């Protein structure tokens, strides 16, 4: 398919190469392919080029060029999303802007419990940078080895610990964003108690790149838990699970860091498609809850778990349960 672009393609590619360097303007079909297909293969797109800037200044220059000539840009992080937002259209008239090369951890500051990272840093790399100074960055997703911070924030990712720490937008103090015309909004402040002016960062988190492209962020860190306990619980209904959630909140307060409800259908899919997987609870049940408790103190969570589950069973909220060893 030959795309119709506002700027002749050879001229556009030359100007992009002048900004990011020849090696970071990909045009070979083999190099383009990983950027054009959604993880499950449900969405397919086309593009004349994938551009890989290495700095915020390069992102700004690319967007200024695109804005000047009306070239459409599709920002892309780790390409782990499952809704197709990172996939260019089949028309082939959009340039993919990959943020993967903006992959520096600029600063980890245990004094202020913050970390400043660029958009292409993987979630796992951010977690490991926090762990290196005995801190916790609590966002956790199945794709954490390949998804990127920029994509996490642009989609306002949830993860497994929302109940304690909130969605991705709740884990951010400041953002650096490149606007559509190439201007850079530098809001990388680390101040937590800040009531000055408009809180513009929330416009961009969850906007999926439609209002600007996130290039860096100041992330909040927490003390690392000294102990954790996990239970897998069978229950008869979502209503029982909600009752159990209230009981767990009352028992553990902010130490309750995970509470995930799942239907039997989800367990069946895992058993069917993951070799070696086994049912956590021998008997089949319609609903399950995965509960996690974290503590700043060593040990003690298992006993508290057992007490909670015993009370919940007596109240009919829990049918069966196992505590991870």
């Amino acid at each position: 398919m030959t795309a119709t672009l506002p700027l002749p393609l050879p001229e556009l590619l030359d100007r992009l190469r002048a900004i990011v360097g020849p090696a970071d303007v990909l045009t070979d079909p083999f190099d383009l392919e990983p950027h054009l297909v959604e993880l499950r293969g449900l969405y397919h797109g086309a593009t004349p080029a994938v551009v890989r800037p290495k700095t915020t200044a390069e992102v700004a220059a690319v967007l200024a060029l695109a804005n000047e000539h009306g070239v459409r840009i599709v920002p892309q992080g780790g390409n782990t999303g499952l809704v197709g937002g990172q996939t260019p259209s089949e028309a082939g008239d959009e340039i993919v802007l990959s943020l993967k090369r903006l992959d520096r951890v600029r600063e980890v500051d245990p004094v202020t419990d913050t970390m400043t990272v660029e958009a292409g840093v993987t979630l796992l790399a951010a977690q490991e940078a926090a762990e290196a100074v005995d801190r916790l960055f609590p966002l956790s997703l199945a794709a954490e080895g390949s998804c990127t911070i920029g994509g996490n924030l642009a989609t306002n990712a949830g993860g497994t610990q929302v109940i304690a720490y909130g969605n991705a937008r709740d884990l951010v103090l400041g953002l650096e964003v490149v606007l559509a015309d190439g201007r850079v909004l530098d809001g990388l402040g680390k101040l937590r108690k800040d009531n000055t002016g408009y809180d513009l960062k929330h416009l961009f988190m969850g906007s999926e790149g439609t209002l600007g492209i996130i290039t860096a962020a100041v992330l909040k860190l927490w003390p690392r838990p000294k102990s954790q306990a996990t239970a897998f619980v069978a229950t008869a209904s979502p209503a029982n699970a909600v009752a159990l959630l209230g009981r767990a909140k009352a028992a553990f307060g902010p130490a309750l860091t995970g509470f995930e409800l799942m239907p039997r259908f989800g367990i069946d899919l895992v058993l069917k498609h993951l070799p070696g997987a086994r049912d956590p609870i021998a008997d089949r049940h319609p609903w399950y809850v995965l509960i996690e408790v974290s503590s700043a103190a060593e040990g003690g969570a298992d006993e508290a778990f057992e007490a909670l589950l015993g009370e919940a069973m007596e109240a009919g909220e829990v049918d069966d349960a196992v505590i991870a060893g």
Side-chain angles (χ1 to χ4, degrees), residues 14-126:
D14 285 344
R15 295 185 66 174
L16 290 171
R17 291 183 183 110
I19 295 171
V20 302
D24 287 310
V25 178
L26 308 181
T27 58
D28 185 276
F30 179 80
D31 295 328
L32 297 180
E33 183 61 23
H35 299 272
L36 304 179
V37 182
E38 176 261 355
L39 190 62
R40 298 165 300 173
L42 297 181
Y43 302 98
H44 300 261
T47 185
V50 172
V51 182
R52 304 186 302 177
K54 300 174 288 297
T55 65
T56 300
E58 290 183 357
V59 175
V62 170
L63 290 190
L65 172 65
N67 183 67
E68 179 184 357
H69 295 283
V71 177
R72 299 174 183 175
I73 297 291
V74 177
Q76 188 177 98
N79 195 20
T80 60
L82 301 179
V83 297
Q86 77 280 17
T87 308
S89 73
E90 295 179 347
D93 58 355
E94 299 168 336
I95 300 297
V96 173
L97 184 70
S98 171
L99 280 301
K100 278 191 172 183
R101 299 210 65 185
L102 275 76
D103 59 358
R104 291 187 304 139
V105 176
R106 295 183 184 177
E107 181 191 42
V108 182
D109 184 356
V111 175
T112 61
D113 283 329
T114 64
M115 174 170 58
T116 304
V117 302
E118 293 182 340
V121 171
T122 65
L123 176 53
L124 180 60

Side-chain angles (χ1 to χ4, degrees), residues 153 172-177 185-188 201 204-205 214 216-217:
L153 302 184
V172 176
L173 286 173
L175 288 182
E176 177 186 83
V177 181
L185 174 64
D186 184 354
L188 292 176
K201 65 179 180 290
F204 302 100
M205 291 184 287
I214 296 169

Side-chain angles (χ1 to χ4, degrees), residues 166-189:
N167 274 46
R169 70 167 64 248
D170 300 304
L171 311 178
V172 176
L173 286 173
L175 288 182
E176 177 186 83
V177 181
V178 180
L179 304 179
D181 60 1
R183 288 178 296 167
V184 178
L185 174 64
D186 184 354
L188 292 176

Side-chain angles (χ1 to χ4, degrees), residues 4-324:
T4 302
L5 293 161
L7 194 65
L9 182 58
E11 181 181 350
L12 175 62
L13 294 179
D14 285 344
R15 295 185 66 174
L16 290 171
R17 291 183 183 110
I19 295 171
V20 302
D24 287 310
V25 178
L26 308 181
T27 58
D28 185 276
F30 179 80
D31 295 328
L32 297 180
E33 183 61 23
H35 299 272
L36 304 179
V37 182
E38 176 261 355
L39 190 62
R40 298 165 300 173
L42 297 181
Y43 302 98
H44 300 261
T47 185
V50 172
V51 182
R52 304 186 302 177
K54 300 174 288 297
T55 65
T56 300
E58 290 183 357
V59 175
V62 170
L63 290 190
L65 172 65
N67 183 67
E68 179 184 357
H69 295 283
V71 177
R72 299 174 183 175
I73 297 291
V74 177
Q76 188 177 98
N79 195 20
T80 60
L82 301 179
V83 297
Q86 77 280 17
T87 308
S89 73
E90 295 179 347
D93 58 355
E94 299 168 336
I95 300 297
V96 173
L97 184 70
S98 171
L99 280 301
K100 278 191 172 183
R101 299 210 65 185
L102 275 76
D103 59 358
R104 291 187 304 139
V105 176
R106 295 183 184 177
E107 181 191 42
V108 182
D109 184 356
V111 175
T112 61
D113 283 329
T114 64
M115 174 170 58
T116 304
V117 302
E118 293 182 340
V121 171
T122 65
L123 176 53
L124 180 60
Q127 293 169 345
E128 291 174 342
E131 185 177 358
V133 295
D134 197 30
R135 296 295 187 271
L136 170 72
F137 180 60
L139 185 62
S140 181
L141 311 171
E144 59 194 27
S146 51
C147 67
T148 59
I149 294 297
N152 297 153
L153 302 184
T155 58
N156 189 28
T160 61
Q161 301 192 77
V162 168
I163 193 168
Y165 302 103
N167 274 46
R169 70 167 64 248
D170 300 304
L171 311 178
V172 176
L173 286 173
L175 288 182
E176 177 186 83
V177 181
V178 180
L179 304 179
D181 60 1
R183 288 178 296 167
V184 178
L185 174 64
D186 184 354
L188 292 176
K190 299 193 290 184
L191 187 62
R192 289 177 182 255
K193 189 176 182 180
D194 186 355
N195 64 349
T196 57
Y198 299 105
D199 195 355
L200 296 178
K201 65 179 180 290
H202 287 290
L203 288 173
F204 302 100
M205 291 184 287
S207 70
E208 300 196 36
T210 58
L211 300 178
I213 296 179
I214 296 169
T215 50
V218 178
L219 306 176
K220 299 176 185 177
L221 303 180
W222 277 261
R224 284 193 62 77
K226 296 297 188 295
S227 64
Q228 288 182 312
T230 304
F232 194 78
V233 174
T235 188
S237 68
N240 281 353
V242 171
L244 176 62
L245 174 59
R247 185 181 299 275
K249 283 182 175 180
F252 297 115
L256 179 65
T257 51
F259 194 96
E260 297 280 321
L261 176 67
M262 63 197 78
R264 178 67 209 184
F265 174 70
I267 304 298
D268 288 339
L269 284 178
V270 171
L271 296 176
K272 179 179 179 181
H273 296 288
L274 291 183
R278 62 183 182 85
D279 209 321
I281 296 177
D283 296 330
R284 292 173 62 88
H285 298 268
W287 294 91
Y288 300 88
V289 176
L290 183 67
I291 309 175
E292 179 188 78
V293 174
S294 303
S295 174
E298 296 285 354
D302 285 354
E303 292 81 0
F305 246 149
E306 291 174 4
L308 171 78
L309 295 175
E311 294 172 2
M313 285 182 177
E314 289 181 6
E317 299 161 1
V318 169
D319 297 330
D320 201 354
V322 293
I323 297 176

